[in-house]
Amino acid sequence: MANPPSKPPRGIKTPKETSGLLMTMIRALSATESNEHREIEKTALEREYKRCDQKLEELISMEHQNLARVMHLFTSVSSEINLSRERVQAAKQKLLACKTLLRCKRDELRKFYVESIEQHHMLTQLTQIEQIKEVPFQLNMLESKNQYLQCTKLLMETLQISNNDLKNIDALNELRVELKHKKQALYNRLLDELMNHIYVISPQSAKSFRRTGSDGYNSSFGQSTRRSYKYIPQITTHKDILNDNNETDINELDTEKFVPIAVECLAILFKLNDTIEKLKSTMQTQLVEIVEKTTKQISTSNQSKNAGEQLVTLVNGVILQFYSVVDAHQLFLCSLDKVVDQQLLVNVNKYDLKYVWENIESIVQMFLSNYLDVNSHSDLVIKSAPIFSNIDLNVFFSKKKIQRPKQCLFKFSNVFESSSDLLERPFTSITQTQTMICTSSSDNIIYIYEPLTMFIQQIEQSINMSTCTLSLWLNEYIRTVFLDRQHSKVATTVESITKQADAWHAITTSEQMQELIISRPLLSSTVSIWNNICQIKKLVITMPEYASHFLMIMVSISRSYKETCDSLFTSSIKLCDNTTKLVSYLWIQKHDLVDYLKQSHNWVRREYENKSKKNSLDELKRYTQEADKLFENLEGNDFKVTSVSDINQLRCLAHLLESMEWFGKKLNEISNPESKHYLVPKLNSSKTDNNNLPLSLVETLHQLGKDFLDISDNILLYLYLEVRAQSIYYLLPSFESTIGNTTEPKVLDLNQSVSALHEAMLNAISNSKSQYIFEGLGEVMAKSLVNHTRNIEMIDEIAIRKIIRDITMLKYNIAAMLGASQVTLEKTIHYYELLLCTPKEILEEILEKGASFSEAEYLNLLQIVHRSNKNIEETTSLQNDLKRLSDILSQIKQTFLI
């Protein structure tokens, strides 16, 4: 391949090619036909050459000065170049001479070079030895200033030099041993400081429970304030390992600065795996130490608080410290990841936060097991997150096993699910004694449930699990231990309340009435039962996840108490002797009569009816109809009435009436979603609300409330009927239609009995119910007194006037009690007064004033009067009087129709 054209040097102009022009001229001259033409061409060429010469001369004259200056410069440069060539040639000659001389001294120079290298190495080693001798002092000084990173680097560099460059110097053997001891001591100190920061310094910064009121505990049962223990990691992942320049800023209590430096130092010491294994093996023991120290501190500093408050304070304090421990471990793990990435370390046996949480869960389980009395329940087993690694934790978590007798009043079927496969192994047998701030009891879960639940939620969020081991353990404990014991406890309490000798006689005091905001006393047993239900209701609020279980207990308590009260009421009104029965018991068994009374406008529960009709003709008519209905239900029955209910028994029934009504309304309040006293006010949106509160059980509880109100209604009706039955007892003592019975009605005894009953009812039941019981009583008395005349064979004027006087007193007494005149009793007095009149006077009064009584009552009246004046003529006139009575009544009826 031909070489490419090159640019000519600067200042050298390429001569123009003139051969082409010359040839052109030659060809032009050759092509001419004549000499003349050639001459012409020649003349033209000469002319052009002259013009060119002239132009060249002009140019030379114009650039004469520049041309002269260039020629001068060229001459100077050429002289310098020549001088340089001469100097280079002289230097070359000198170098050749030196080369010749060096070649002659080569061996001698090599010897001197080797000797100089040996001398330099010896000086370096001496310098290193002098520096190494000062290293122990420097290490001590750096350690005293907590400059661990500089100390570690200096120690490892010194060990590397002594084991490599100075390994053959025997005089340094003792120093090597000392440095190895220094390395082990530094590792031990770093490890101790690291564990101290993780398990001591960090938890101490979290002890907010020391401050007054920091435990968030409210003295009200089950109402501990919900403290939000939201776990927010305090360590950022972008934390840089501190360098030597800012290491001097480290404070001995500054965990965030110390841990990254400690990790880097341990990496330099090649002790990361040893450190990790040590942290893992001692983690549970250190956590136990935190629990024990916190327990001792609270037991000595919070002696003024009760056991529940102290336990809440302890749990809150331990949880806060465990949060700080997790923060410290996260800082350690972040620093470890950064060092591994920077130094490209391999085979580092790292752990994660899940492992830390698992150990914490195990310690919390064992820590709480003694306070919750888990070990006395043989059926509960515990699943530990990691299996304990050959650590004797019995020294800290131990107590004597207590056997508890089980008592059960209520039986529940299919309440708790068996979960034998949930937990894996039981607690280890424990014989030592643990420091405890309160007595072991399953009820302690009530106080600590809220903070413990929040703690579990944080664990599950941190390890990204739906259910952690601690949650499973807590759920299993509550279902198999706490709820079971709660059942037994409540059952025993309710049984003891209902089995007391004065359970149905003891009533609330005035102070208790003010506290309950009631106007009439209640049975103390009813209030006690309600207090137990309130305790269970608080558990529904405190532990909403188990609301269905607690609601089932409430339903069982209410149902059992209802059955007991119903049985008590039945046994109170029914005598054991089947041949002797109370009239009121006879009436209360008549379902048609009971329905009639409940549907009557006089029924006290019909509060929407207008009571302004009282004492009106319609109201009086209804009372009369009720009296007639009562007597209708006695006809055709052969009952011998020998006694009436004792007033004390009726007073107890009155207290039971108010108690059943109050209790039923309370149950309706807590089972009504619209009520402010609802079980869980915010959870009433579906068939099964957000906290597993089935509406079927709520409806059952609501129905039980209605059942208690029905018992109250039945007792009220019984008292209503018993007051009227006593009227029959005193006014018709034998309750027989035997002719010739001269027994007088015991009106005064009835008057005294009614007064005592009225006073007892006023003090035991509300005014409206008391008014209902005694309203219409005058009509029943009047009916009884009129019916009593059927047994009169002969009129005794003295006896009749005595009866009239007694009835008058009874009338005034009833009127005073009810605040209304007793028209019916006034008519009854007039009826007895007619017994002292002649038949003619009776008939004239009917004709003049109208009929005040029924035709049967007038017939009975005329027969008694005629029988008292017994002779043939009068017997004949009786038929005439009866016929005349019928005519008069017919005439009056026709007049009334017109």
Side-chain angles (χ1 to χ4, degrees), residues 195-223:
M195 297 183 68
N196 186 56
H197 275 273
I198 293 177
Y199 297 109
V200 179
I201 296 177
S202 294
Q204 283 181 349
S205 65
K207 288 184 179 179
S208 60
F209 62 91
R210 286 179 173 177
R211 299 189 296 269
T212 302
S214 62
D215 54 14
Y217 181 81
N218 191 322
S219 58
S220 299
F221 173 79
Q223 296 293 330

Side-chain angles (χ1 to χ4, degrees), residues 240-502:
D240 295 330
I241 304 299
L242 297 177
N243 55 29
D244 295 347
N245 295 330
N246 58 12
E247 186 187 3
T248 56
D249 298 333
I250 299 177
N251 186 285
E252 60 181 0
L253 299 179
D254 193 343
T255 301
E256 289 195 23
K257 291 185 178 180
F258 171 79
V259 173
I261 290 179
V263 173
E264 186 173 358
C265 292
L266 292 169
I268 296 173
L269 292 173
F270 303 105
K271 292 288 187 178
L272 280 180
N273 282 333
D274 294 342
T275 303
I276 292 173
E277 291 300 322
K278 186 66 175 178
L279 287 175
K280 292 170 66 176
S281 63
T282 61
M283 186 177 297
Q284 292 176 352
T285 304
Q286 294 294 336
L287 294 174
V288 169
E289 288 285 352
I290 292 176
V291 175
E292 186 68 11
K293 290 179 181 178
T294 307
T295 302
K296 292 180 179 179
Q297 178 185 355
I298 293 178
S299 62
T300 57
S301 61
N302 294 331
Q303 296 180 356
S304 60
K305 295 183 178 181
N306 59 39
E309 291 176 333
Q310 287 191 347
L311 181 58
V312 173
T313 303
L314 173 62
V315 172
N316 288 341
V318 169
I319 288 176
L320 284 176
Q321 293 181 80
F322 282 171
Y323 284 154
S324 298
V325 169
V326 174
D327 286 341
H329 275 285
Q330 186 181 22
L331 172 60
F332 172 79
L333 294 175
C334 291
S335 304
L336 182 63
D337 291 338
K338 193 170 186 65
V339 169
V340 169
D341 293 339
Q342 288 180 347
Q343 301 185 16
L344 302 179
L345 301 178
V346 294
N347 298 326
V348 178
N349 300 324
K350 297 187 293 184
Y351 62 93
D352 53 11
L353 284 181
K354 182 179 179 180
Y355 179 82
V356 179
W357 282 119
E358 288 174 347
N359 281 270
I360 291 176
E361 290 179 69
S362 298
I363 299 305
V364 171
Q365 289 178 21
M366 297 195 69
F367 155 58
L368 294 178
S369 62
N370 290 332
Y371 285 99
L372 300 180
D373 197 16
V374 172
N375 294 328
S376 67
H377 196 280
S378 59
D379 297 332
L380 181 68
V381 290
I382 296 178
K383 177 180 179 182
S384 301
I387 301 300
F388 291 106
S389 53
N390 299 325
I391 300 176
D392 186 12
L393 298 179
N394 298 338
V395 176
F396 301 97
F397 298 107
S398 59
K399 70 184 185 66
K400 294 182 179 180
K401 187 174 181 180
I402 302 174
Q403 296 293 339
R404 291 189 176 183
K406 293 185 178 180
Q407 299 179 359
C408 184
L409 177 62
F410 309 114
K411 293 183 179 179
F412 298 87
S413 60
N414 301 325
V415 177
F416 303 111
E417 300 176 358
S418 60
S419 55
S420 58
D421 58 339
L422 176 63
L423 306 173
E424 295 179 354
R425 67 183 185 89
F427 275 124
T428 308
S429 177
I430 298 173
T431 57
Q432 301 291 333
T433 303
Q434 175 201 354
T435 302
M436 297 182 66
I437 61 175
C438 66
T439 305
S440 178
S441 172
S442 59
D443 289 339
N444 288 334
I445 189 64
I446 299 172
Y447 303 104
I448 64 176
Y449 180 78
E450 292 183 11
L452 192 59
T453 302
M454 295 180 186
F455 182 58
I456 289 174
Q457 292 175 356
Q458 181 54 53
I459 293 176
E460 293 172 349
Q461 293 176 5
S462 180
I463 63 179
N464 194 22
M465 288 182 61
S466 59
T467 304
C468 66
T469 305
L470 185 59
S471 176
L472 297 176
W473 176 86
L474 179 62
N475 180 64
E476 179 66 10
Y477 167 78
I478 292 176
R479 290 192 301 109
T480 60
V481 179
F482 175 71
L483 292 177
D484 183 42
R485 292 177 182 172
Q486 201 69 25
H487 284 169
S488 299
K489 175 184 175 182
V490 172
T492 304
T493 303
V494 172
E495 186 175 9
S496 64
I497 291 173
T498 55
K499 296 298 182 182
Q500 291 177 359
D502 60 344

Side-chain angles (χ1 to χ4, degrees), residues 483-541:
L483 292 177
D484 183 42
R485 292 177 182 172
Q486 201 69 25
H487 284 169
S488 299
K489 175 184 175 182
V490 172
T492 304
T493 303
V494 172
E495 186 175 9
S496 64
I497 291 173
T498 55
K499 296 298 182 182
Q500 291 177 359
D502 60 344
W504 309 108
H505 299 279
I507 59 176
T508 54
T509 62
S510 57
E511 292 78 9
Q512 291 175 323
M513 292 174 61
Q514 292 179 357
E515 183 178 353
L516 296 172
I517 316 176
I518 54 178
S519 59
R520 295 295 185 273
L522 305 175
L523 292 175
S524 298
S525 59
T526 303
V527 177
S528 299
I529 295 293
W530 174 249
N531 289 336
N532 278 270
I533 290 182
C534 289
Q535 298 295 334
I536 303 299
K537 178 189 174 185
K538 290 179 180 178
L539 292 181
V540 174
I541 299 174

